[in-house]
Amino acid sequence: MAGQEQQQPQPRDTEVEEEVPVPPAPAEGQASASTQGVDDLLDEIDGVLESNAEEFVRAFVQKGGQ
Amino acid sequence: MTAGSDPVLGGGLPAGGAMRVMGSETEYGIHAPSAPGANATMMSARVVQAYAQVTRLRAAGGAETRWDYTDEEPLHDARGWTLERGQAHPSQLTDQPPVLDAEAVALAYGRDELELDGEDESGSLLMNMVLGNGARLYVDHAHPEYSSPEVTNPAAAVAWDAAGDLVGLAAVRRLASDTELPAVNLYKNNTDNKSVSYGSHENYLMPRSVPFGDIVRGLTPFFVSRQIICGSGRVGRGQDSSRSGYQISQRADFFEAEVGLETTIRRPIINTRDEPHATADKYRRLHVIIGDANLSQVSNYLKFGTTAMVLSLIEAGLAPRIEVHEPVAALQAISHDTTLTAKVRLQDGRRVTALDLQWMYHEAAAKLAQDTGVSDAVDGDGHTNAVLERWATTLTQLDSDRPAAATSVEWLAKLSILEGYRQRDGLQWDDARLGLVDLQWADLRPEKGLYYRMLSRNRMQRIVDDADIAAAVTEPPSDTRAYFRGRCVSSFSKDVVGASWDSVIFDVPGYGRLQRVPTREPLRGTKALTGGLFARHREAGSFLAELLGTAPAPPPA
């Protein structure tokens, strides 16, 4: 069956051919930049999280699924 | 085209690697914060209605393309028998269209709600639609579910699965603009952490000639361990989260059996539902219910890519010959150990970690791929090499560079936020804010969903470009029958009265009866085979006439 692979351009063609550098290029020293990044991220998430955590989590009740 | 000419080799795709006909199903968690008691089925129907309004994929008579249930066989067991309907749990009867109980609607929203414009002639609400990208969007039990179109490779599986998240987001936005009814949130997760789980399933096409026992033996150790690369992470332990802590998998604690037909009760590691949705004597559709829903593209990519490769090993008779002692307990032990040092016992007496198990499969898969040539960087199938490399990189990082792994492995990415909060604010695992982080990780709204916040900061790696995911919302894959289905829906929606995985039904003026076009070969109906047909015809009548080889239909009287 070799040679019968599909050749249509598809998003699969965009898959990485080599490893993507991760995380994308912090300019400063790796460790401190990483810690700083986490602090920034938490600050951002603080502003995004629903207020009333306890009530919000308690109210998320689902019916059965597969 | 020789699709299906050699089912043993996978029906037209290069065998031995990561290419295979596959697809995903996602049941979304659904919640209306301002109306916490709202009926979940009703809310799910509102999601489907809202998306219908967004796309305006409306056929004549105001109804979207209906699902055709003719070939649904949820009680067929791959082990060779059929469960009697009377003995089945009601939730197993997925071959009947769900009819939303009018009383439930009235209880949730009042009688006026019954006048919704989605109501059809029989008085039931629209619960089901087929999308122009070849997917199905419908109400499954008490959740909206998106079933992706069939694709042929793991990168495409990521794209069309993520497209479902955009479909859900579009419905959420539409409902949020409705000032009369409560807004609805959707979550791509698998548990409410209060004892209920809902699924994220994968489907893989396999030749029927592979004995089911081989599948069970070959897959079980893999499924017990693959969560370390594709688990989504969960705050809480036990089905009801009665024990505090963090674990790798959303789903592990909800599994209670090794093999079985059920998907809603006594969930088994290997599910035996045998509905091929294709030529039944050639194919089986392996229905995988053990996975977590993934937002992380790398986790999702590896979930589909590595599983497809393990199925290739099983088909070749080359799966690692290992057997895990008490696999359900092993599954949960691995999920509960975020250090990845827990060892599970094999029947031959060895004790191994989940990483050890994954490396055994990687080694076997790499060898088969090399022997068949599919992983060749130049002459290979264009997918297998990338899966193998990313699989190895991820396993190596999980062992020795967890910060790097946290940019791709979903449970580690979520854990990085949780640990940040624990360190900064001194939170215990049972703190409600950590539970909220877990829940809100999966919110489909990019301004609210914590996964999307990480993605926007480039703290999560991508497998496919945002533009390709956006295109997959409306475009079907070009290389499976989903192309035919999706194009029929988007080109001839007023004449298409129903569709399913293996059929499209037309009601065209001039034809005396409904025309049901079977699409039982998953690798036919491709753009290569039918693209010209769609380009040549703007009317369903002449399209059908050429497709069916009949004389052009006379103009309607």
Side-chain angles (χ1 to χ4, degrees), chain A residues 1-24 33-66, chain B residues 2 9 12 14 27 29-31 140 142-143 152-153 155 160 187 192 194 196-199 201 251 263-264 267 273 301 380-383 386 390 407 417 420-421 424 432 436 439-440 445 447-448 453-454 457-459 461 463 468 478-479 528:
Chain A
M1 309 306 283
Q4 292 188 1
E5 67 227 64
Q6 310 293 306
Q7 297 292 355
Q8 295 83 16
Q10 277 293 305
R12 67 177 191 237
D13 291 330
T14 65
E15 81 188 45
V16 287
E17 305 258 305
E18 66 264 23
E19 292 308 311
V20 174
V22 290
S34 164
T35 308
Q36 184 60 43
V38 171
D39 289 345
D40 286 352
L41 179 67
L42 293 184
D43 289 345
E44 180 187 332
I45 293 175
D46 285 338
V48 167
L49 281 182
E50 308 284 352
S51 46
N52 61 6
E54 186 142 3
E55 188 187 331
F56 197 92
V57 169
R58 189 174 54 235
F60 181 72
V61 177
Q62 299 294 289
K63 298 263 193 223
Q66 299 217 39
Chain B
T2 57
L9 293 177
E27 288 180 59
I30 185 165
H31 182 46
D140 188 5
H143 302 268
T152 61
N153 64 83
W160 270 275
Y187 298 88
D192 67 358
K194 297 172 188 65
V196 161
S197 183
Y198 34 99
H201 300 172
R251 291 277 273 173
T263 56
T264 55
R267 292 186 184 88
R273 183 184 291 184
Y301 175 72
D381 63 16
H383 296 280
R390 197 169 274 275
T407 65
I417 297 180
Y421 269 99
R424 193 192 69 179
L436 183 59
L439 173 59
Q440 211 171 315
R445 295 170 297 172
E447 72 278 14
K448 281 294 200 181
R453 301 319 311 148
M454 298 269 279
R457 285 172 169 255
N458 285 327
R459 296 178 73 99
Q461 296 181 55
I463 293 289
D468 291 329
S478 65
D479 53 358

Side-chain angles (χ1 to χ4, degrees), chain B residues 21 25 67-74 76 94-95 136 138 147-148 150 203-205 208 273-287 481 485 500-503 516 518-523:
Chain B
V21 175
E25 308 167 31
W67 193 253
D68 171 18
Y69 283 87
T70 310
D71 289 321
E72 304 273 325
E73 298 161 328
H76 281 207
T94 56
D95 53 345
R136 177 189 187 193
Y138 69 116
S147 297
S148 82
E150 306 89 329
N203 298 289
Y204 302 91
L205 196 72
R208 182 157 293 277
R273 183 184 291 184
D274 191 2
E275 281 179 294
H277 296 316
T279 303
D281 56 350
K282 285 163 66 176
Y283 305 115
R284 78 168 78 250
R285 172 185 64 124
L286 184 72
H287 188 230
R481 65 185 176 188
R485 180 188 316 122
S500 72
W501 301 119
D502 50 15
S503 70
R516 186 173 192 270
T519 55
R520 295 178 74 79
E521 287 290 346
L523 291 173

Side-chain angles (χ1 to χ4, degrees), chain B residues 48-340:
Chain B
V48 176
Q49 310 283 346
Y51 194 67
Q53 290 165 356
V54 169
T55 61
R56 303 183 190 284
L57 287 174
R58 285 173 171 270
E64 291 74 10
T65 298
R66 300 288 164 145
W67 193 253
D68 171 18
Y69 283 87
T70 310
D71 289 321
E72 304 273 325
E73 298 161 328
L75 305 181
H76 281 207
D77 194 302
R79 291 165 294 184
W81 60 78
T82 297
L83 186 66
E84 286 182 36
R85 294 191 81 82
Q87 293 179 356
H89 188 272
S91 64
Q92 288 177 270
L93 302 177
T94 56
D95 53 345
Q96 295 174 334
V99 174
L100 188 59
D101 175 37
E103 275 311 302
V105 176
L107 279 173
Y109 291 107
R111 301 282 164 189
D112 290 348
E113 199 56 32
L114 292 169
E115 307 302 322
L116 262 185
D117 65 353
E119 190 178 334
D120 71 9
E121 324 75 59
S122 65
S124 62
L125 289 164
L126 177 75
M127 308 287 265
N128 227 314
M129 62 188 287
V130 183
L131 309 185
N133 72 350
R136 177 189 187 193
L137 179 67
Y138 69 116
V139 179
D140 188 5
H141 303 281
H143 302 268
E145 174 165 331
Y146 169 90
S147 297
S148 82
E150 306 89 329
V151 298
T152 61
N153 64 83
V158 172
W160 270 275
D161 184 63
D165 304 337
L166 293 183
V167 166
L169 176 63
V172 165
R173 299 291 196 218
R174 175 85 190 185
L175 292 174
S177 71
D178 182 336
T179 55
E180 302 287 312
L181 291 168
V184 168
N185 294 345
L186 294 179
Y187 298 88
K188 194 178 191 182
N189 61 8
N190 299 106
T191 178
D192 67 358
N193 265 330
K194 297 172 188 65
S195 77
V196 161
S197 183
Y198 34 99
S200 159
H201 300 172
E202 303 138 66
N203 298 289
Y204 302 91
L205 196 72
M206 301 188 71
R208 182 157 293 277
S209 54
V210 178
F212 201 76
D214 290 3
I215 297 173
V216 173
R217 275 187 297 278
L219 271 180
T220 300
F222 178 72
F223 280 171
V224 163
S225 57
R226 74 169 189 172
Q227 56 182 310
I228 65 172
I229 54 176
C230 59
S232 293
R234 175 182 171 206
V235 174
R237 294 183 181 182
Q239 293 190 1
D240 59 358
S241 295
S242 53
R243 287 169 287 139
S244 66
Y246 186 71
Q247 62 175 309
I248 289 171
S249 164
Q250 289 261 308
R251 291 277 273 173
D253 286 354
F254 295 94
F255 280 71
E256 299 169 332
E258 295 175 26
V259 182
L261 183 60
E262 299 89 356
T263 56
T264 55
I265 46 171
R266 297 186 300 278
R267 292 186 184 88
I269 293 173
I270 306 288
N271 183 237
T272 56
R273 183 184 291 184
D274 191 2
E275 281 179 294
H277 296 316
T279 303
D281 56 350
K282 285 163 66 176
Y283 305 115
R284 78 168 78 250
R285 172 185 64 124
L286 184 72
H287 188 230
V288 174
I289 68 169
I290 199 172
D292 289 357
N294 284 127
L295 285 156
S296 159
Q297 293 183 15
V298 175
S299 282
N300 216 17
Y301 175 72
L302 288 175
K303 179 172 70 184
F304 282 98
T306 64
T307 303
M309 293 193 72
V310 170
L311 296 178
S312 293
L313 282 171
I314 292 168
E315 287 170 15
L318 295 171
R321 298 192 184 285
I322 46 181
E323 191 177 347
V324 174
H325 177 69
E326 294 187 355
V328 175
L331 171 78
Q332 287 158 6
I334 288 170
S335 183
H336 294 175
D337 169 42
T338 57
T339 70
L340 304 184

